[in-house]
Every structure is written in C-alpha cells, then in structure tokens.
Amino acid sequence: MSRTLVEPEHQTVHTKAKKVSSGRFKLFLSNIDLYILLVPGLLFLLLFKYAPMYGIVIAFQDFNIFDGFAGSKWVGLAQFEKLVRSEEFYQVFINTLMISLYKIVLLFPIPILIALFLNEVRRAWFKKTVQTIIFLPHFLSWVIISGLFINILSPSGGLVNNVIQAFGGTPISFFLDNSFFRSVIVFTAGWKESGWNAIIFIAAIAGIEQEQYEAAAIDGAGRIKQMLHITLPGIVPTIILIFILRLGYLLEAGTEQILTMYNSVVYQSGDVIGTFVYRQGLGQQDYSFSTAVGIFNSVVGFILIVGGNELSKKLIKRSIW
C-alpha cells in the first residue's frame, strides 16, 4: 500500500520537473533573437578578456619572447620578490595613490554639485545649453586634450603664463615641474569628465517624487532648503554606491591621460602603475616583471571591489553586484 502511495508522488515530481524544463526551453525559443544578440559580446569577452588570462604565467617565468611560454625558465615568485624590493615601484605606488586620492577628494563632489545646481535651473533652453557644453569635453580624446593644455600652459606664449607675466610673475613649466604636474593631471581630468559623471546624479534626482517638493513648498521651504533636505538625501544611496565603486579603481590613476602628458622629467611625481607597466613591458621588454606588477594591481583592485561590496551592504543595505 505504501508503494502505491509513493509512486504517484514520485511521478508528480517528475512531471513537474518535466514541465519546468519544457517551459524554460519554450522561453528560450521565444527569445532566441535576444540570445543571438548576446553572441558577439560573449565572443568578445572570451577572446579579449578570458583567453589572454593564460598569459599570467609569464609573471612566474623569466620570459623570453623567442622561447615562448614553454621554453622560458620557470622562476616561481622571483618577479614578485623583485617587485617588493624595488624602490622605483614604491615611488610609483605612492604616486598612484596620491593622484587617485586627489581625484577622489577634489573631483568626486563636483559632478554632485553640477547635478544639484542644474536641477534648480528652470529655463529648459539654458539648462540644455549648459549640459551640452559641460558634456562635450568627455568626447575628446586625451591626445587632443593633452595638446590643448600643452599650448595653454606653455611657458613660452601660453595663455596662462601670459597672464602670470602680465601680473609680474615668472613663467611656470607646468609639464616639466614635479610640484605642478599632479595638479595639472587632476585639473584636466576634472575638466574632461566632471560634466559627464554628473549624468548619473541627474538621473537619480529625476527619480525623486515631485510630491515631496510640492509638500515642502506648501510648508514654506525655499529652494535651498528643498535642495538640502529633499534632493541631497534622495541621491545619497547613489552617491555612496558610486563612491564605493570609485574606491575599487583606486590604483587606476588614469594611465591613458598620464601617458599623453608626462615625460621623464616628472617621473618622480607622475609615474603611476599603468605607465610603469607600459615602460617596463614595452619599453624595456621586461615582460615578466611588468606582468607581476599588473597582477598586483588587479589583486588589490579585486580586494577593494569586494571590500566595497561588503561595505555597501552595511551602508545602503544593497550589494553592488
């Protein structure tokens, strides 16, 4: 009797599983066009993101380009020991941290302020004009921006130095002076990206319910109070989320930007991990050491991202992935 009771139950579970499987297959077929659209992206990831990961074995070899992976001598952790003992890398690491921290402290609040003040503009034509003007620099390459600022800051005939001389000052070689180079890097990064980075905060403000502003206006709250007590608190979760994500890229100080602007004179203040890997790998053909530096950078970035994810769970009760 127990057998006759168990068998129908087993058949019911099997039937349900079969229906679920059939339903998923039908769902897949009904969205087959979307899955086909995924194929190019997946191929891109496989070919350019995952396949090259095999190359990290170089960091554990004394790699010779003519001997290849199989013929190069295996040296274990020797490249990482060289990394730890390298005084040059220590200076590069400090430069990376300093430039990244400057960008976070000085540039992170600017897009928030732009979004807050643009939200207070009531004339649509003026608002759109300002948005267009401050978004445009994002679409210029760092090569163009580098040439632009090299001309503007040139000690011989540059606009800024002409103004300095007009007030009786001495021309400054901004791109050849270690005391000014980091400031140039941070300023140009802010000029190029602040307007573009404001987009996400503008979108967050657009999601705030208008009834809150109407209720505040009825209670006598002015525009400044509405901004401080409604708009700003409304985008705090977004601010925290973006800030934590930015911490994950702490060791990415802007390699492309610095490569187009720096030179050997300002290595002391401007050489960062990305440019150091470029110089060691392609310049000196020390592929093993540059790969070890790259792995160190990636591991630290991964730890920061995971730490930021855990921090976001505590601060905004939400995971960033």
Side-chain angles (χ1 to χ4, degrees), residues 79-90:
Q79 301 296 344
F80 294 92
E81 293 176 4
K82 179 182 175 182
L83 172 65
V84 173
R85 295 173 183 172
S86 172
E87 293 184 5
E88 187 178 7
F89 176 75
Y90 175 77

Side-chain angles (χ1 to χ4, degrees), residues 146-155 157-162 174-175:
S146 174
L148 177 65
F149 277 92
I150 286 173
N151 287 326
I152 292 175
L153 300 176
S154 172
L159 176 63
V160 173
N161 276 300
N162 284 343
F174 291 95
F175 286 90

Side-chain angles (χ1 to χ4, degrees), residues 50 183 203 206:
Y50 286 98
S183 300

Side-chain angles (χ1 to χ4, degrees), residues 183-200:
S183 300
V184 172
I185 292 297
V186 174
F187 177 81
T188 52
W191 180 81
K192 183 177 187 294
E193 300 294 351
S194 290
W196 180 259
N197 291 336
I199 291 177
I200 191 168

Side-chain angles (χ1 to χ4, degrees), residues 129-198:
T129 302
V130 172
Q131 285 180 336
T132 302
I133 292 172
I134 63 177
F135 291 171
L136 277 177
H138 169 78
F139 298 99
L140 300 176
S141 71
W142 277 116
V143 176
I144 295 174
I145 292 175
S146 174
L148 177 65
F149 277 92
I150 286 173
N151 287 326
I152 292 175
L153 300 176
S154 172
S156 56
L159 176 63
V160 173
N161 276 300
N162 284 343
V163 174
I164 292 174
Q165 287 180 300
F167 285 93
T170 304
I172 301 171
S173 299
F174 291 95
F175 286 90
L176 298 173
D177 193 328
N178 281 291
S179 59
F180 285 99
F181 185 72
R182 287 177 184 166
S183 300
V184 172
I185 292 297
V186 174
F187 177 81
T188 52
W191 180 81
K192 183 177 187 294
E193 300 294 351
S194 290
W196 180 259
N197 291 336

